[in-house]
Amino acid sequence: MKKIKTIFIYIFVTFFAIITVFPFIYMIFGGLMTYEETTRIPPTFVPGSFKISNYLAVFNQAPFARYFFNTFVTATTTTVVSLFTSILGAFAMANLKFKGKGLIKIILISLLMVPGEAIIFTNYTTIMSMGLINTYIGLVIPFLTSIFYMYYLQSYFKSITPTVYKAAMIDGASDWEYIWRILVPMSKSGLITVALLSFISGWNAFLWPLLVTNESDMRLLNNGLAAFATEAGSQTQLQLAAATLIVLPILIVYFVFRKQIIRGVVNHEFKA
């Protein structure tokens, strides 16, 4: 009975894994097909010949190199700065004692309950009044800090016994030295997880860049893909090739750091 149950679980998991992965596989193969193959009924799943020229055509028809540059700059900036501010905020909530700390925590938690869509137009009005439309600063400034990442890292920092912090203070270390010499090295898995989540979020950004950019030179990848889908018209093979170009880098990042991501999530759940 137990063996039958195990077989059923494997079949169930395999079935839904195929359903999940199939669109990505077809997207990759579709980007290497001809137009006739992508529109054929019944559909073709494997290209007759691999058309690498589709990817060259994508770069010739739209400035995807510029889109990649813009996305890399904004995603990297938000990742580095948000990680920095999250470390400092999490340290303050985990180790420091000051008047009004409880009230500040309540305010931060309440802000977590506000959906980003509810304040996006307020942010847009602010950015526009500052003259930051079509600028890198306007693209990244709302995402330079994250309350969620602060609370995520706080669970790591609280798992470190307070005696370590007290011992560092007795030895004459400043809070700054304690953070970078002790706290950060002891929380690497959590920091890597936060950095990857932040980078993926920045790489996949769509709505905010759509609002604050109206020039093609400032578009990010997903906005450029949406515009390209319209401009490319019925050339589905080019649309699939462009989508593959956008997805592959983030998949590569995930597979390179998947162990750190899994370790960070497991450690967070265990500590929580």
Side-chain angles (χ1 to χ4, degrees):
M1 184 66 183
K2 186 176 180 181
K3 186 176 181 180
I4 295 175
K5 185 178 179 181
T6 303
I7 293 174
F8 175 77
I9 292 173
Y10 274 110
I11 293 174
F12 180 82
V13 172
T14 302
F15 174 73
F16 281 97
I18 292 173
I19 292 177
T20 302
V21 174
F22 175 76
F24 295 98
I25 296 176
Y26 182 76
M27 177 185 66
I28 294 172
F29 282 147
L32 297 169
M33 295 180 185
T34 62
Y35 170 75
E36 290 74 17
E37 287 175 325
T38 59
T39 56
R40 184 177 299 166
I41 297 176
T44 301
F45 297 109
V46 180
S49 61
F50 294 95
K51 299 291 183 181
I52 304 296
S53 58
N54 288 343
Y55 292 95
L56 299 177
V58 166
F59 282 98
N60 289 332
Q61 292 192 25
F64 270 90
R66 178 72 183 187
Y67 300 159
F68 268 98
F69 175 78
N70 292 342
T71 306
F72 179 79
V73 168
T74 55
T76 302
T77 301
T78 55
T79 297
V80 172
V81 179
S82 66
L83 185 61
F84 177 77
T85 56
S86 296
I87 289 173
L88 298 184
F91 164 74
M93 290 189 289
N95 295 100
L96 299 183
K97 295 181 180 180
F98 52 90
K99 190 175 181 180
K101 180 179 178 180
L103 178 61
I104 292 175
K105 282 188 174 183
I106 292 173
I107 294 173
L108 293 177
I109 292 174
S110 65
L111 290 175
L112 277 175
M113 301 178 185
V114 179
E117 292 78 5
I119 60 173
I120 193 167
F121 289 108
T122 303
N123 289 340
Y124 172 76
T125 303
T126 303
I127 293 299
M128 185 173 61
S129 64
M130 296 172 65
L132 297 177
I133 300 296
N134 290 314
T135 63
Y136 289 117
I137 297 177
L139 284 167
V140 304
I141 199 170
F143 310 103
L144 297 182
T145 186
S146 170
I147 299 173
F148 172 76
Y149 294 152
M150 286 184 190
Y151 274 93
Y152 184 89
L153 291 177
Q154 182 188 6
S155 64
Y156 279 88
F157 295 171
K158 278 191 171 182
S159 67
I160 301 173
T161 176
T163 56
V164 176
Y165 177 65
K166 294 178 181 178
M169 296 299 102
I170 293 174
D171 286 342
S174 63
D175 287 338
W176 189 259
E177 291 173 326
Y178 170 74
I179 291 172
W180 301 111
R181 293 186 179 181
I182 299 176
L183 202 59
V184 168
M186 294 181 70
S187 307
K188 280 185 178 179
S189 60
L191 297 176
I192 291 174
T193 302
V194 168
L196 290 174
L197 290 175
S198 179
F199 185 82
I200 291 171
S201 177
W203 189 270
N204 294 330
F206 178 80
L207 181 57
W208 178 251
L210 183 66
L211 287 174
V212 298
T213 60
N214 49 38
E215 297 178 0
S216 61
D217 286 345
M218 292 304 300
R219 285 175 180 165
L220 301 192
L221 278 171
N222 284 291
N223 306 115
L225 177 62
F228 180 75
T230 302
E231 296 165 1
S234 61
Q235 299 183 72
T236 51
Q237 79 283 8
L238 298 186
Q239 295 177 24
L240 291 170
T244 302
L245 286 172
I246 293 174
V247 172
L248 277 182
I250 212 68
L251 287 178
I252 293 171
V253 170
Y254 170 76
F255 281 112
V256 169
F257 295 100
R258 67 186 184 279
K259 292 183 179 179
Q260 289 86 342
I261 294 175
I262 295 172
R263 189 184 302 119
V265 172
V266 170
N267 289 343
H268 178 264
E269 294 297 328
F270 178 76
K271 292 172 183 177

